[in-house]
Amino acid sequence: MEIKIMKNILDRNQNKADEVREILRKKNVLMVNIISSPGAGKTTLLERTLEHFAGRFRTGVVEGDITTDRDAQRLKKFNIPIVVINTEGGCHLDSHSISKVLGSFDLDNLDILFVENVGNLICPSQFDLGETFKLAVISTTEGDDKPAKYPMLFREARAVLLNKTDLIPYTNFDLNNFRSDLDQINARIPLFEISCTRGDGLTEWYGWLSGQVSLI
Amino acid sequence: MEIKIMKNILDRNQNKADEVREILRKKNVLMVNIISSPGAGKTTLLERTLEHFAGRFRTGVVEGDITTDRDAQRLKKFNIPIVVINTEGGCHLDSHSISKVLGSFDLDNLDILFVENVGNLICPSQFDLGETFKLAVISTTEGDDKPAKYPMLFREARAVLLNKTDLIPYTNFDLNNFRSDLDQINARIPLFEISCTRGDGLTEWYGWLSGQVSLI
C-alpha cells in the first residue's frame, strides 16, 4: 500500500516536472538542481560560481531550506533574483514547489537558474524538479565511501563536484577509493575536484558549466 | 491527503515503537538511535565506544544502510552481534524493521543496543524506533549553522556529539555560533566536543553513556 502511495506521489511529481522542463526549454533557461549532504558546501559553491559568472550569465537562485533563510542571506550581495522555499520539515524539494515559484523569475532574462536543494543525500535524488540536470556535491570530510553507500544520486547526476579537497591531508580520505567506487556506479560522469574556500579546481567547473549553457 | 497518509504512517510507526520500547524495558536494554548526516562519523564513534566498553557492557549493533554492509564490516572485529538492515533506497529506519531484527539478539545478555541509522539529518528524526534516546552526531566540517538549519534532531535528541573538533583549525567553524544556536533550540542538552580519530573528549562521553545505562 505504501509503495502504491509513493508511486502516486512520484507520478504526480513527474508530470509537474515535465511541465516545468518544457517551460524552461522554451525560455532557454538552464536549471541546475544541486544536491548534497548538509554542509558539503552548496552555498559556498554558489557564492563562487555566481561571482565568477556575474556580468556574463544572468543567474537566479531557488534556495530550498527546512526553515530559516540563512543561505539566501549569504547570496544577497549578488543582487540577483533569489526565492526561498521553506519546506517546514520536508526533506526535499518537489516539482510543485518549483512550479509555484517559477513566476517570480523573469525567465526571458535568465540564463541559469540554480536550485539549492535541502541538505540530504537521499530523498532529493528521487524527485525530478524539471531541472536540466542534477549536480552532486560531496565533500572529502564525509569519507571516500559515499558513492558506494549512497549510489542513487551518483547514478542520477550529470556531474560530481568533490569539495573540500584542501582538507584531504587532515583526513583518511582516499581519492583512489572514491574514484574507483564512483567508476562502478557511473563510469563516465565528470568529476571535478575542488576547494570552494581555497578556489582550487574551480576553473574547470566553470568551463564545464558554460558548456552546458551553450547546449541549451 | 498526503498529510493524512503521513499521519497514518507515523501512527503505525509509533505503535510498533511503543511495543519495541516495552520489550527493551523489560529486558533492561538501553537502545541508542544514532542519527547524523552522511560521513559525520557514526561508525568511527561506534568503533571507539565498542572498544572502550568491551568486557564492561554487553553490546550489539543494528546497522542501517541503504545498500552495502560496509559499516558492519568495520565493526566485525569486535565479535559482538551485528545485524544489517538495508533499506533499499529508504531514507530512514522505522520501528517495524527494528521489531523484525530484535529476535536476532539475545536480549537477556545485552546491555546496550546501538542503532546506526541511515545517514540523513532529517527523516530519521521523525521516526521513533522504540529507542531509549536519540543521539545527534554532527561534525565541525558541516558548518556551525546546522542546529539552526536542521532543528528537529537537536530538539529530539538527548545528547549532541560534535565530532571532528581536530579539523576546526582548518575550517571557518565557530564554536560560539554553534553553541548559541543549539542553546536556542535545546538549552539543556549535553554537548560533547569530540574527535573520534584523535580520541579527544571521549572520556566524558563514555562517562555520560555509562550513566544512562545505570538509569535503565
Side-chain angles (χ1 to χ4, degrees), chain A residues 1-9, chain B residues 5-6 8-10 12-13 92 94 96 127:
Chain A
M1 183 199 147
E2 279 173 37
I3 290 167
K4 200 179 149 214
I5 291 164
M6 189 61 187
K7 196 182 169 306
N8 283 343
I9 291 172
Chain B
I5 291 164
M6 189 62 187
N8 283 344
I9 292 173
L10 286 174
R12 266 184 293 150
N13 183 74
H92 60 86
D94 63 19
H96 294 83
F127 285 80

Side-chain angles (χ1 to χ4, degrees), chain B residues 103-153:
Chain B
S104 308
F105 294 93
D106 175 9
L107 297 179
D108 289 315
N109 286 300
L110 201 63
D111 298 308
I112 312 178
L113 181 59
F114 293 102
V115 179
E116 182 174 346
N117 218 310
V118 176
N120 182 342
L121 212 48
I122 308 169
C123 318
S125 343
Q126 299 170 344
F127 285 80
D128 186 355
L129 305 182
E131 69 271 345
T132 317
F133 61 84
K134 292 185 176 70
L135 177 70
V137 180
I138 190 93
S139 58
T140 60
T141 48
E142 294 169 68
D144 52 42
D145 58 356
K146 291 303 157 295
K149 292 189 61 191
Y150 302 84
M152 291 168 298
L153 173 61

